[in-house]
Amino acid sequence: SSVTAEEIIDWDPLPVSFHAKNTVNPIRKIVDALSVPPNPEKSLIKLHLGDPTLTGKLPPCEVVTKALIDAVSSHKYDGYGPSVGVIEAREAVVDRYSTKAAPFTADDVILASGASHALQLAIEAVADAGDNILIPAPGFPLYMTLCRPHGIEDRAYRLDMKRGAMVDLKHMESLIDERTKAIIVNNPGNPTGAVFPREHLEEILKIANRHHLTIIADEIYGDLTYDGAEFIPIAELSPKVPVITCDGIAKRWLVPGWRLGWVIVHDRFNVLGDVKQGMIALSQKIVGPCALVQGALPSILRDTPQSFFDNVKDVLSANASVVYNSLRMVPGLHPVRPSGAMYMMVGIDRSVYGDETSFVQGLIREQSVFCLPGSAFSAPNWFRVVLTYPEEVTLEACHRITEYCGDHLNAAPLMSDVLLN
Amino acid sequence: SSVTAEEIIDWDPLPVSFHAKNTVNPIRKIVDALSVPPNPEKSLIKLHLGDPTLTGKLPPCEVVTKALIDAVSSHKYDGYGPSVGVIEAREAVVDRYSTKAAPFTADDVILASGASHALQLAIEAVADAGDNILIPAPGFPLYMTLCRPHGIEDRAYRLDMKRGAMVDLKHMESLIDERTKAIIVNNPGNPTGAVFPREHLEEILKIANRHHLTIIADEIYGDLTYDGAEFIPIAELSPKVPVITCDGIAKRWLVPGWRLGWVIVHDRFNVLGDVKQGMIALSQKIVGPCALVQGALPSILRDTPQSFFDNVKDVLSANASVVYNSLRMVPGLHPVRPSGAMYMMVGIDRSVYGDETSFVQGLIREQSVFCLPGSAFSAPNWFRVVLTYPEEVTLEACHRITEYCGDHLNAAPLMSDVLLN
Ligand SMILES: Cc1ncc(COP(=O)(O)O)c(C=O)c1O
Ligand SMILES: Cc1ncc(COP(=O)(O)O)c(C=O)c1O
């Protein structure tokens, strides 16, 4: 069974498909850029990973763990369920999220392997090669990763970082043409932490209504708001354009590894029938998410106490204050105060600190603090800070960032002194 | 927030994408055809569902359940893992499946949401619109479901049902052209239950080698053989063409709802480097399978006792004998004796019993026995029987099928008597 010479000689490398070659997640390249040696004298502080479970500060709720163990022990979820998910799990989504202003039934729910998969179902069902979908910038890079292999163009609409990361509505509308199929609205936003007020969402809906565009609402951080900000599901507002809501348990329940999400089809004009059937068909490719987690979903959604969510929000709010109040005092840094999700964006004055890659690399090399460069989110000259660490860690990180800036701020005038002499 | 007339009036139905519209699973339409009323006087016997957990006869191994509960309790798998899967789970696949004849490392393993997702990664990474992939007929319909939305042509090579469901090698080779990118080989086979002997696999490999085609080996029923049949992983044989093995825990460990599978890249000529990178990129779309099940995988693969598998094989073997010995005595039925997987195919003499749809519907209406029509597997004039039920249930099913055939066999000559008079 050894390989003979003949066998080896005449095989050339086999080509990868266009589809796979165009499946690109910018994060990978960017994380590679972070592989500079940290300062061995300082402990590592990793503010770059959007995984709340890594911080030790935020374990999942016991109710949730118990629900999963019960589902395993019941042996009711060892077999295949329907690709769209078991009925009791879809009913649980209805019980928790259907409202008078935006009612839906279990038939409008498709369970998925995380919100990521929910977004994949939505994007693949609404658009073809040559079509385009509007996505936010700064924004979550997965939208591109999901569009591009299909030849779907992702057109980035600006979030105005000077105005609290609200949508630049004029810019958004200017991007629409006859091949535009949907607008992805991520609220609360990653990486901005912005929470859109009601009137702002209504303005977006007006644009969608004028152009007959479906909204794909990425509400994975829904309800994860603080400092008085209110989360409003876009499907509850008028004008009532068709909305495909993508959500899941990763963030609010702090179990991203469990990979459970869902699509809710809000189809009040009966215009999404074919698209819904399309998503149902697409769900058959991988036959639904892990049935055990589906089996746990009713208890997860019903029994997690409000105090659990309140605690998470308190951590986020406290960290947001710490970071905002520290970094806004640093010359050449421009934090944008968030009120939702788990992140804060900080602008970098390029003329003071150089480009974002060297800033972020410098922070690692000198201070052992890891942040994600904004280019991961189509936002060069920014960096993103994660707000889920213990407050003392966050504070220490801010001290170090401040020290780093101090060191380099001092260097800058010295340089110009040199030039002036 | 009520809907105004204006809002309603001018929205037309929104189109579904070509991709989603062409995502078709024939099973659905076929199961719809089964919705005839069963005979209320007889208990239902459902031999149509390929889910071993439904029969009550085959619960998963306690080791497996415990492994999952341990993974949940450890809280080590609540967070995101790498998209390709956690290293300990990929190492576990290496420990169990890497052999001297077909060695691989954890870098060659990508975990997936079931073998279904593994197949999706492989198919999407090797072929583009206009390319073609060879698939077996009779065969598992998911291959089509995964190819067609991408415009990848699925070309069916014949399994010769008169020769134990071996590949018609001439036919297979005749289908190859310059756009052929891979051959899917499913061994042991669904729905045939055939197990390919070594020499047969080597003939297939020769064809692949001549035409420089990757083999996509669907070995989800690997090792699930009985009555002396030996399973040989195709990657272990010569000539050593590149093989992408797709596998998972659904069938041998009897937990299809847990949705864990994997791809193993056997790339001995270094010709699959780009394709492997492509599959890794594709895995990022949904960020890996449920991490809890990944965490359980090392124990699942290491600690399940051989007696567990032996018991499953004994059940399959006993049922295969029961069905084969009963149905081969029935005029106009032609069972093909299986020695692997969980199924048996039975040919129907159309001139005696009419077409397969009416045969299968008749079985339900008169005998409350459900079988899957062969058309679900591109095999009209056949039906598929599942072999995972308790032996007495299988026996009762065979009695009823025999009775049904008796009733209709009698009717047939009577009909011709009428014609002769
Ligand atoms: C905006 C946004 N949407 C979707 C997701 C993916 O969520 P899931 O882990 O459920 O796939 C993330 C994860 O970081 C996110 O930030
Ligand atoms: C031949 C074959 N391949 C793959 C699969 C899918 O396996 P999984 O449940 O791991 O996705 C099946 C399931 O029936 C099958 O019969």
Side-chain angles (χ1 to χ4, degrees):
Chain A
S1 73
S2 70
V3 176
T4 67
E6 267 157 281
E7 285 171 10
I8 297 176
I9 290 165
D10 66 348
W11 280 77
D12 286 323
L14 295 169
V16 60
S17 68
F18 170 94
H19 185 94
K21 201 167 49 197
N22 286 280
T23 301
V24 180
N25 186 334
I27 301 261
R28 180 158 295 271
K29 219 166 60 196
I30 281 154
V31 170
D32 285 349
L34 300 186
S35 61
V36 293
N39 183 341
E41 323 233 300
K42 305 206 177 203
S43 62
L44 303 184
I45 303 183
K46 299 186 165 187
L47 299 184
H48 64 305
L49 298 170
D51 185 340
T53 69
L54 294 175
T55 66
K57 174 88 175 183
L58 295 173
C61 186
E62 272 167 39
V63 165
V64 166
T65 307
K66 181 169 178 309
L68 194 69
I69 290 178
D70 289 347
V72 176
S73 309
S74 78
H75 285 298
K76 287 201 306 193
Y77 303 99
D78 293 333
Y80 289 112
S83 294
V84 293
V86 299
I87 182 68
E88 58 269 36
R90 288 182 289 125
E91 290 285 6
V93 173
V94 174
D95 289 347
R96 185 165 177 119
Y97 293 107
S98 180
T99 62
K100 221 172 136 193
F104 62 90
T105 72
D107 284 343
D108 301 314
V109 179
I110 302 170
L111 299 189
S113 290
S116 301
H117 187 215
L119 287 161
Q120 183 185 20
L121 296 176
I123 289 169
E124 291 186 352
V126 302
D128 277 312
D131 293 335
N132 64 76
I133 291 179
L134 307 193
I135 68 169
F140 186 50
L142 185 72
Y143 309 137
M144 290 181 193
T145 308
L146 294 174
C147 285
R148 292 191 181 173
H150 290 284
I152 301 165
E153 186 193 347
D154 48 282
R155 290 200 180 160
Y157 60 84
R158 271 196 299 272
L159 301 183
D160 187 344
M161 298 302 282
K162 297 219 175 77
R163 287 182 45 251
M166 295 298 117
V167 174
D168 180 337
L169 296 163
K170 278 231 180 73
H171 184 236
M172 174 187 268
E173 190 156 16
S174 75
L175 297 172
I176 295 169
D177 64 19
E178 67 289 348
R179 298 299 297 270
T180 306
K181 288 299 162 73
I183 305 174
I184 296 182
V185 178
N186 175 215
N187 177 47
N190 177 8
T192 63
V195 179
F196 294 153
R198 172 186 306 269
E199 308 70 45
H200 193 59
L201 291 168
E202 285 170 345
E203 292 300 327
I204 295 169
L205 287 166
K206 274 188 209 154
I207 294 175
N209 193 44
R210 266 201 293 278
H211 299 276
H212 290 193
L213 297 176
T214 300
I215 299 270
I216 297 175
D218 180 349
E219 298 185 347
I220 186 80
Y221 300 101
D223 262 340
L224 211 56
T225 59
Y226 49 89
D227 296 352
E230 188 196 1
F231 166 67
I232 303 168
I234 195 168
E236 296 193 353
L237 301 179
S238 282
K240 293 202 169 299
V241 305
V243 174
I244 301 173
T245 302
C246 298
D247 199 351
I249 59 174
K251 304 290 178 171
R252 277 158 296 161
W253 281 270
L254 305 173
V255 286
W258 296 17
R259 312 306 305 129
L260 189 72
W262 54 82
V263 161
I264 301 167
V265 184
H266 294 280
D267 182 19
R268 49 276 296 203
F269 303 157
N270 275 320
V271 295
L272 283 183
D274 289 348
V275 169
K276 182 164 97 176
Q277 285 313 312
M279 287 191 283
I280 291 170
L282 289 168
S283 77
Q284 298 180 22
K285 287 187 180 182
I286 64 170
V287 205
C290 179
L292 300 168
V293 188
Q294 294 186 46
L297 192 64
S299 171
I300 292 173
L301 295 187
R302 196 193 329 108
D303 302 330
T304 308
Q306 186 55 38
S307 57
F308 175 81
F309 303 109
D310 290 344
N311 175 53
V312 177
K313 294 176 188 196
D314 287 350
V315 170
L316 293 168
S317 167
N319 278 323
S321 288
V322 164
V323 178
Y324 184 74
N325 290 329
S326 315
L327 299 192
R328 82 198 168 98
M329 305 308 292
V330 177
L333 291 191
H334 307 286
V336 174
R337 184 158 205 152
S339 52
M342 304 177 151
Y343 319 101
M344 186 183 308
M345 287 292 269
V346 183
I348 310 167
D349 193 331
R350 212 190 138 104
S351 65
V352 180
Y353 301 111
D355 71 15
E356 46 146 0
T357 306
S358 46
F359 182 88
V360 166
Q361 286 177 340
L363 265 183
I364 297 169
R365 199 164 15 224
E366 298 177 24
Q367 300 289 346
S368 297
V369 172
F370 291 75
C371 295
L372 211 52
S375 46
F377 308 97
S378 313
N381 301 322
W382 293 80
F383 66 95
R384 189 191 75 168
V385 178
V386 168
L387 302 176
T388 50
Y389 280 78
E391 200 173 317
E392 60 277 15
V393 176
T394 308
L395 201 59
E396 168 68 16
C398 290
H399 288 327
R400 295 198 203 165
I401 295 172
T402 305
E403 185 172 292
Y404 175 85
C405 290
D407 293 349
H408 293 264
L409 195 60
N410 292 343
L414 274 175
M415 291 276 283
S416 39
D417 284 356
V418 172
L419 289 177
L420 286 174
N421 288 348
Chain B
S1 73
S2 70
V3 176
T4 66
E6 267 155 280
E7 284 171 9
I8 297 176
I9 289 165
D10 67 346
W11 280 77
D12 286 323
L14 294 169
V16 61
S17 68
F18 170 93
H19 185 94
K21 201 166 51 196
N22 286 282
T23 302
V24 180
N25 186 335
I27 302 262
R28 180 158 296 270
K29 218 166 60 196
I30 282 154
V31 170
D32 286 349
L34 300 186
S35 60
V36 294
N39 182 341
E41 322 232 299
K42 304 205 178 204
S43 63
L44 303 185
I45 303 183
K46 300 186 164 186
L47 300 184
H48 63 306
L49 298 171
D51 184 341
T53 68
L54 294 175
T55 67
K57 174 88 175 183
L58 296 172
C61 186
E62 271 167 40
V63 165
V64 167
T65 306
K66 179 168 178 312
L68 194 69
I69 290 178
D70 288 348
V72 176
S73 308
S74 78
H75 285 299
K76 287 201 306 193
Y77 303 98
D78 293 332
Y80 290 111
S83 294
V84 294
V86 300
I87 181 67
E88 59 268 36
R90 288 182 289 125
E91 290 285 6
V93 173
V94 174
D95 289 346
R96 185 164 178 118
Y97 293 107
S98 179
T99 61
K100 222 172 135 191
F104 61 91
T105 72
D107 284 343
D108 301 314
V109 179
I110 302 169
L111 299 189
S113 291
S116 302
H117 187 215
L119 287 161
Q120 183 184 20
L121 296 176
I123 290 170
E124 290 185 352
V126 301
D128 276 313
D131 293 334
N132 65 77
I133 291 179
L134 307 193
I135 68 169
F140 186 50
L142 185 72
Y143 309 137
M144 290 180 194
T145 308
L146 294 174
C147 285
R148 293 192 181 172
H150 290 284
I152 301 166
E153 186 192 347
D154 48 282
R155 289 199 180 161
Y157 60 84
R158 270 195 299 272
L159 301 183
D160 186 344
M161 298 302 282
K162 296 218 176 76
R163 288 182 44 252
M166 295 299 115
V167 174
D168 179 336
L169 296 162
K170 279 232 180 71
H171 185 234
M172 176 188 267
E173 190 156 15
S174 76
L175 297 173
I176 296 169
D177 65 19
E178 67 289 347
R179 298 300 297 268
T180 306
K181 289 297 162 74
I183 306 175
I184 296 183
V185 178
N186 176 214
N187 176 48
N190 176 10
T192 63
V195 180
F196 294 154
R198 174 186 305 268
E199 307 70 44
H200 194 59
L201 292 168
E202 284 170 346
E203 292 300 329
I204 296 169
L205 287 165
K206 274 187 210 154
I207 294 175
N209 194 42
R210 265 200 294 279
H211 300 275
H212 290 191
L213 297 177
T214 301
I215 300 269
I216 298 174
D218 180 348
E219 298 185 346
I220 185 82
Y221 299 101
D223 264 339
L224 211 56
T225 60
Y226 50 88
D227 295 353
E230 188 196 1
F231 166 66
I232 304 167
I234 196 167
E236 297 194 353
L237 302 179
S238 282
K240 293 203 168 301
V241 304
V243 174
I244 302 173
T245 302
C246 299
D247 199 350
I249 60 174
K251 304 291 177 170
R252 279 158 295 160
W253 281 269
L254 304 173
V255 287
W258 295 18
R259 312 305 306 128
L260 189 73
W262 53 83
V263 161
I264 301 168
V265 183
H266 294 281
D267 181 20
R268 48 275 297 204
F269 303 157
N270 276 320
V271 295
L272 282 184
D274 289 348
V275 169
K276 182 165 97 175
Q277 286 312 314
M279 288 191 284
I280 291 170
L282 288 169
S283 77
Q284 298 180 24
K285 288 187 182 183
I286 64 170
V287 204
C290 180
L292 301 169
V293 188
Q294 295 186 47
L297 192 64
S299 172
I300 292 173
L301 295 186
R302 194 193 331 108
D303 302 331
T304 308
Q306 185 55 38
S307 57
F308 174 81
F309 303 110
D310 290 343
N311 174 54
V312 177
K313 293 176 187 197
D314 288 349
V315 170
L316 293 168
S317 167
N319 278 323
S321 288
V322 164
V323 177
Y324 184 74
N325 290 329
S326 314
L327 298 192
R328 81 198 167 98
M329 306 306 292
V330 178
L333 290 192
H334 306 287
V336 174
R337 185 158 202 152
S339 53
M342 305 178 151
Y343 319 101
M344 185 183 308
M345 286 293 268
V346 183
I348 310 168
D349 193 331
R350 211 190 138 105
S351 66
V352 181
Y353 300 111
D355 71 16
E356 46 145 2
T357 306
S358 44
F359 183 88
V360 167
Q361 287 178 339
L363 266 183
I364 297 168
R365 199 164 15 225
E366 297 177 26
Q367 300 289 346
S368 298
V369 172
F370 291 74
C371 295
L372 211 52
S375 46
F377 307 97
S378 312
N381 300 323
W382 293 81
F383 66 95
R384 189 190 75 167
V385 177
V386 167
L387 301 176
T388 50
Y389 280 78
E391 199 173 318
E392 60 278 11
V393 176
T394 308
L395 200 59
E396 167 69 16
C398 289
H399 288 327
R400 294 198 204 167
I401 295 172
T402 306
E403 185 173 291
Y404 176 85
C405 289
D407 292 349
H408 292 264
L409 196 59
N410 292 342
L414 273 175
M415 290 276 284
S416 40
D417 284 355
V418 171
L419 289 175
L420 286 174
N421 287 348

